[in-house]
């Protein structure tokens, strides 16, 4: 009898102590950490860092390492950008999911296009809003031609290179058809890598032909589901509650901010003034980057 009383007292004490633990540490609590992946991928200027593997790796690792996690949810809102950074982020998500044996659920907000859709393909399932935009599975590159402008201004172009193609596609030189052909060959190669990634990730769920899916075209939510680019219409809260219960916990995993961030990333004396000077020097690049970033979003109506 005394042993039974001791067991009951111990159990009661454990229950009381459990109340003081954060909900995600309590046994049986369904936890689905959420990671937001937003913005243009790989566009980096002094004042406007884009999404990159270096920037999101730590957050992803924290999400996949969270105790009691039943899955990891990714909220994606990106019009694309660097194919290299896009694929590296995709690969890191797939690697972590395999290591931790956790499913990945992707929720598209405004847009997951081009590199943004490549990252979305790391998910086991992709959900979107009826008004979300998905796709744009292609490769694009652009430049300007200034050779006539500098001639009118009386500017003499002086360019010194070692290597026959070192000045390929220089915007201050007339366009060379051979250079354009070389660029297009590279684009086709990268495009094929993108196509293979999508086919491997989506498999038999893809319903459209190659001539439909891989032309760089993009679609709204319902059409994306019909083509197999997404698995369904759904928002994060409703979908996770339906799957893991009304009490599912969805902590958002983000980069450290505030005091902790300041301590971890404290600059040495004088670095603030130097950083300000560097930023001022980079303002022209920053302005161009802002225009380019706005143009990328505007392509999808945002």
């Amino acid at each position: 009898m005394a042993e039974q009383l001791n067991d009951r007292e111990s159990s009661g004490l454990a229950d009381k102590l459990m109340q003081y633990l954060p909900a995600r540490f309590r046994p049986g609590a369904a936890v689905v950490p959420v990671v937001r992946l937003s913005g243009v991928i790989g566009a980096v200027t002094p004042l406007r860092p884009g999404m990159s593997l270096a920037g999101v790796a730590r957050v992803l690792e924290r999400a996949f390492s969270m105790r009691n996690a039943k899955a990891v949810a990714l909220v994606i809102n990106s019009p694309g950008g660097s194919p290299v950074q896009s694929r590296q982020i995709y690969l890191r998500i797939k690697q972590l999911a395999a290591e931790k044996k956790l499913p990945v659920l992707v929720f598209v907000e405004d847009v997951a296009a081009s590199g943004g859709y490549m990252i979305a393909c790391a998910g086991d399932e992709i959900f979107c809003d009826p008004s979300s935009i998905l796709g744009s599975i292609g490769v694009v590159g652009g430049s300007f031609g200034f050779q006539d402008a500098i001639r009118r201004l009386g500017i003499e172009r002086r360019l010194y290179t070692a290597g026959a193609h070192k000045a390929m596609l220089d915007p201050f030189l007339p366009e060379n058809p051979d250079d354009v052909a070389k660029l297009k060959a590279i684009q086709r190669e990268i495009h094929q890598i993108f196509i293979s990634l999508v086919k491997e990730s989506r498999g038999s769920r893809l319903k459209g032909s190659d001539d439909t899916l891989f032309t760089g075209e993009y679609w709204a939510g319902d059409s994306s589901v019909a083509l197999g680019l997404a698995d369904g219409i759904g928002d994060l809260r409703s979908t996770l509650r339906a799957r893991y219960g009304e009490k599912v916990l969805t902590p958002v995993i983000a980069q450290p901010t505030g005091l902790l961030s300041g301590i971890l990333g404290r600059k040495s004396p004088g670095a603030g003034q130097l950083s300000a000077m560097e930023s001022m020097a980079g303002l022209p690049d920053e302005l161009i980057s802002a225009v380019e970033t706005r143009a990328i979003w505007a392509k999808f109506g945002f």
Side-chain angles (χ1 to χ4, degrees):
M1 178 68 74
E3 290 180 358
Q4 290 179 348
L5 288 173
N6 288 335
D7 290 342
R8 289 176 185 173
E9 289 176 358
S10 298
S11 177
L13 180 60
D15 290 341
K16 289 181 180 179
L17 290 174
M18 200 66 66
Q19 295 176 6
Y20 295 97
L21 283 175
R24 66 176 182 272
F25 293 124
R26 297 173 193 169
V31 180
V32 181
V34 178
V35 176
R36 297 186 60 87
L37 300 174
S38 302
V40 176
I41 303 165
V44 180
T45 67
L47 301 179
R48 189 185 297 271
M51 194 196 316
S52 66
L53 176 59
V56 304
R58 186 178 177 188
V59 174
L60 290 172
E61 288 167 6
R62 286 175 56 204
F64 278 96
S65 299
M66 180 163 286
R67 184 175 178 180
N68 292 333
K70 303 297 183 183
V72 172
L74 305 178
V75 179
I76 294 180
N77 193 12
S78 173
S82 163
V84 173
Q85 291 298 323
S86 302
R87 187 171 179 275
Q88 288 186 347
I89 294 170
Y90 163 91
L91 289 174
R92 180 59 61 87
I93 294 167
K94 297 291 283 186
Q95 290 161 359
L96 289 169
E99 290 171 9
K100 304 297 182 178
K101 296 180 173 57
L102 289 174
V104 177
L105 305 178
V106 169
F107 296 88
V108 177
E109 292 190 321
D110 298 307
V111 57
S114 194
Y117 184 71
M118 182 184 289
I119 294 174
C121 284
D124 296 286
E125 297 177 74
I126 300 174
F127 299 92
C128 59
D129 186 86
S131 298
S132 299
I133 290 177
L134 291 82
S136 190
I137 302 168
V139 181
V140 64
S143 183
F144 299 91
F146 297 109
Q147 69 274 10
D148 291 336
I150 63 173
R151 185 171 60 250
R152 292 193 191 99
L153 293 172
I155 299 172
E156 180 184 355
R157 172 69 163 155
R158 296 175 180 175
L159 186 64
Y160 311 101
T161 67
H165 301 288
K166 189 61 179 178
M168 187 174 76
L169 299 175
D170 186 294
F172 296 100
L173 295 175
E175 189 175 65
N176 184 330
D178 292 338
D179 292 347
V180 175
K182 289 183 177 67
L183 174 62
K184 287 186 173 293
I186 294 172
Q187 288 181 323
R188 286 192 295 271
E189 187 174 349
I190 296 172
H191 190 200
Q192 190 55 55
I193 293 170
F194 195 171
I195 292 171
S196 298
L197 183 149
V198 173
K199 286 185 173 181
E200 180 181 351
S201 300
R202 301 298 297 168
S204 61
R205 288 175 288 184
L206 294 174
K207 304 303 180 185
S209 66
D210 287 8
D211 290 340
T212 299
L213 295 174
F214 306 130
T215 62
E217 188 177 354
Y218 45 87
W219 299 268
D222 287 319
S223 296
S224 298
V225 173
L227 290 168
L229 297 175
D231 296 286
I233 301 296
D235 65 280
L236 183 143
R237 185 172 184 270
S238 301
T239 302
L240 295 185
R241 284 192 167 197
R243 187 161 300 190
Y244 299 104
E246 292 292 320
K247 294 184 178 180
V248 62
L249 302 173
T250 55
V252 177
I253 312 301
Q255 295 281 11
T257 57
L259 178 62
L260 179 61
S261 177
I263 293 172
L264 294 176
R266 191 177 301 279
K267 297 182 178 71
S268 59
Q273 292 88 337
L274 179 59
S275 177
M277 292 172 63
E278 290 175 345
S279 297
M280 290 298 292
L283 281 178
D285 287 341
E286 174 63 20
L287 179 60
I288 293 172
S289 176
V291 172
E292 290 177 340
T293 300
R294 187 73 198 98
I296 292 172
W297 282 104
K299 176 181 177 182
F300 303 102
F302 297 103

